[in-house]
Structure formats: structure tokens, C-alpha cells
Amino acid sequence: MMNRRNAMAIRRNRWLAAAVAALLAFVFVALAGGCGMPSLTGGNGTLTVGVRADVMGFGYYNEKTHKYYGMEIDLANEMADRMGYSDVKFVTVTPDTRKEMLQNGQVDALVACYSISDHRKENVDFSPAYYTSTVQMMVENSSLITDINGLKGRYIGTRAGTDTAAILVKKLAEIGFSDGNPLQANDDNSDVQFDNFHLLQYPSYQELSDALESGAVGAIALDSAIAKTYLNDERSTLSDFSINPEEYGVATKKDSALSATVTTTIQNMLDDGTINRFIDKWD
């Protein structure tokens, strides 16, 4: 009788030990999933990516379908899939909000026409460049402006929150169009007077385009990738002026665990031709 009771006790203890072990494993995996480790559902959960909603061919949000389309959307989906994520969540960012949204954790990465520069590298990590753009000068055909010298004494517009204003001023000084020294400026540098031109910065690309159409500015300077959205039969880009290059990279939080994986993944996508196929698809 005692042997039977002992055997039952041993089996019961073994069952309890197995149950406790299973419970602890469940808790561990659940907690790990909350810290960026593989989740209970398999894969790495959801990657939240900041993208543009206003740039045709790169990141554009369709109000009718409630979906994002473009080369950068395809790139982000492929990147997340190769990194083992089971889903991608897209969040709209703008030049004004993207850096802050990355740093405060609202997005895990930026695939948002974000050009690589030394001063940005101080705050974020970049993947290898996946696209090279140029800064172009766009005019209304009715203005009869056909070259850069036709803009002397005129207003030139750029998009606030981008690097365009700074590199434009530098380029105009390099080619002798201006001495590059501001004569007068308002507090946020959205309105700056130079010797041979007046710089105005606008809070959105649509407002920048509207300013060109209304004649508030004689020309607007913007990336060639973005210019495609606002170029039409009544507008042209000046053939004698461009600034090279503007290289776009995937941005991640500085020194984050994600940075190295993103870098490797994007480099592999460059090496195997995947990114070129996306560019050709949307060009």
C-alpha cells in the first residue's frame, strides 16, 4: 500500500514540476516578446516604420484605399520580412516630425526620403544609401525664367524642416550667384534676405507648390524625387542647375540594437538587386 502511495506521490510531483516549468517558460517568452524578442505568435512581431504620405512613387497614402504605396513602402515591407517581422505598421511622418518620432520611440525606423548627412548622423544611425536624388529648381513656364541667373533679385522657396535651404545657400555661393551671407532674417529663418535673392521656407510641399503657382516665389528648390509629384505641363526644372547628391537611407535610433540588422539587410537588398527592381517599378 505504501509503495503504491509513494509511486502516486512521485508521479504527482513530476507533473507539478513539469507544469511549473511550462508556466515559467510561458512567462519568460511573454516578457521577452515585450522587449523586442520573438513573441508567442512567432517571428519578431510588428515593425513600426515612419513613411511619407505625400511623395508619389516613394511614400503616398491613398485616402480611398487607406493604404500606402511607393518604392519606400515596398522596401520597408521587404526589409521587415527579411528581418523576421511578422507585420509592418506604417505611420505618416513629415520633415518636421520624423526625427522626434524616431527618438521618442513612436517609430522603429524611418524610410521617408530622409537624406544622409553628417549632422544627422550625430543623432541617428543610417543604413547604406538606397536612393540618390538631386536638388532641382522648379519654375512656372509663364515666368519665362530659363536659367539660374534669371532668379537674381527673386524669391526662392524651400520646404522647412529639410536640408534644402542650407545646401541651396551653399551651392549658390559656390557658383557665384550670391555671397551666401544673410542680410536680414526672422526668428525661425523662414524668411531670409540675401544679397541677390530672398529665401522663403514653407511648412508643407503643397504650400510650397501653391507659392510657386501664385507667383509668391519665382522658383522652388526640392529633391528630384519629390519634384515629380509637383511637376506638370506648366512647369519646368532649370537644366543648368542641380545639387548632387542627396542620398536616402533608412534611419534608426542612434546606437540601437536594430541599427546593425537594418544596415546588413539593406546592403543585402542592394547587392542582390532588390532595391533596383523597386526603383525601376516606381520610376
Side-chain angles (χ1 to χ4, degrees):
M1 185 70 174
M2 290 298 296
N3 288 337
R4 183 179 178 184
R5 288 179 178 176
N6 288 340
M8 291 177 64
I10 290 171
R11 286 196 295 271
R12 183 168 59 249
N13 289 339
R14 287 176 178 172
W15 181 87
L16 287 172
V20 169
L23 179 61
L24 290 174
F26 180 89
V27 171
F28 175 79
V29 173
L31 289 174
C35 298
M37 300 292 287
S39 68
L40 294 174
T41 56
N44 285 330
T46 299
L47 183 70
T48 304
V49 181
V51 296
R52 298 295 295 273
D54 59 346
V55 184
M56 287 285 192
F58 284 80
Y60 185 80
Y61 183 72
N62 188 310
E63 296 284 352
K64 294 182 179 179
T65 63
H66 303 293
K67 291 182 179 180
Y68 292 87
Y69 300 92
M71 186 273 285
E72 291 184 326
I73 306 305
D74 289 352
L75 184 153
N77 276 318
E78 178 70 15
M79 178 183 76
D81 183 62
R82 293 191 185 199
M83 290 167 58
Y85 286 89
S86 58
D87 193 20
V88 182
K89 177 183 178 182
F90 293 115
V91 177
T92 298
V93 299
T94 69
D96 298 313
T97 64
R98 57 192 173 191
K99 176 183 171 183
E100 181 180 353
M101 290 178 71
L102 178 64
Q103 292 183 331
N104 67 21
Q106 289 177 266
V107 297
D108 301 314
L110 294 172
V111 187
C113 297
Y114 201 23
S115 56
I116 301 168
S117 66
D118 289 338
H119 80 271
R120 284 176 174 165
K121 286 181 179 179
E122 296 174 2
N123 300 297
V124 303
D125 289 329
F126 280 102
S127 73
Y130 59 81
Y131 187 85
T132 301
S133 180
T134 62
V135 173
Q136 298 180 328
M137 197 76 78
M138 186 184 297
V139 298
E140 293 280 340
N141 295 336
S142 59
S143 70
L144 302 182
I145 298 171
T146 58
D147 56 43
I148 191 65
N149 287 323
L151 287 170
K152 285 190 175 180
R154 302 261 193 159
Y155 285 80
I156 301 175
T158 64
R159 170 64 160 91
T162 69
D163 281 346
T164 305
I167 64 176
L168 173 65
V169 171
K170 180 180 178 182
K171 180 67 174 182
L172 292 177
E174 287 176 353
I175 65 175
F177 181 94
S178 166
D179 63 16
N181 297 315
L183 303 176
Q184 187 175 352
N186 62 352
D187 292 340
D188 61 0
N189 290 321
S190 62
D191 187 334
V192 186
Q193 176 69 56
F194 291 88
D195 55 344
N196 285 331
F197 74 103
H198 201 120
L199 176 68
L200 296 178
Q201 297 199 70
Y202 291 85
S204 73
Y205 281 110
Q206 187 56 59
E207 289 172 89
L208 182 64
S209 177
D210 292 344
L212 180 62
E213 183 175 1
S214 69
V217 296
I220 57 176
L222 66 173
D223 285 8
S224 57
I226 298 169
K228 295 177 183 178
T229 303
Y230 299 97
L231 196 60
N232 56 46
D233 292 340
E234 297 178 351
R235 294 176 172 181
S236 303
T237 56
L238 298 184
S239 60
D240 69 332
F241 182 85
S242 66
I243 305 174
N244 295 315
E246 285 283 283
E247 295 185 320
Y248 297 162
V250 178
T252 48
K253 188 177 288 189
K254 188 73 175 176
D255 299 324
S256 70
L258 197 61
S259 296
T261 306
V262 166
T263 290
T264 300
T265 303
I266 294 300
Q267 187 60 59
N268 289 339
M269 290 169 64
L270 287 165
D271 293 341
D272 66 19
T274 299
I275 290 178
N276 279 338
R277 288 195 293 273
F278 291 154
I279 292 172
D280 290 341
K281 171 185 174 182
W282 291 98
D283 189 13

